Amino acid sequence: LDGAVERRVGVLGGLDLDVAQGEMLALVSPSGVGKSTFLHLLGLLLRAALRAVPESLVRETLAAHCE
């Protein structure tokens, strides 16, 4: 887009989450607050824990999405 302005929005700032093994949870919030971003990052962290993605990719992705 010509003349487009990049805008960063901190959607995951202040997130603190504890989930016990076997526990289920639901993400419920208004549109645009970061539910999908959170789930994508969680998937990335899980793959990193299984060593399926390089640690550098995890750091870069988290830095790009979390403030």
Side-chain angles (χ1 to χ4, degrees):
L1 299 171
D2 284 338
V5 176
E6 181 178 332
R7 186 175 69 148
R8 293 184 64 143
V9 178
V11 294
L12 296 176
L15 179 68
D16 183 19
L17 179 67
D18 290 313
V19 181
Q21 183 174 347
E23 189 174 22
M24 296 174 64
L25 64 108
L27 296 176
V28 181
S29 64
S31 177
V33 298
K35 295 179 299 290
S36 294
T37 300
F38 170 73
L39 292 174
H40 282 55
L41 292 173
L42 181 61
L44 177 65
L45 292 172
L46 291 174
R47 288 192 301 273
L50 298 172
R51 307 234 188 263
V53 296
E55 187 177 328
S56 60
L57 176 61
V58 174
R59 279 195 296 267
E60 290 171 15
T61 304
L62 290 174
H65 289 90
C66 301
E67 296 179 355

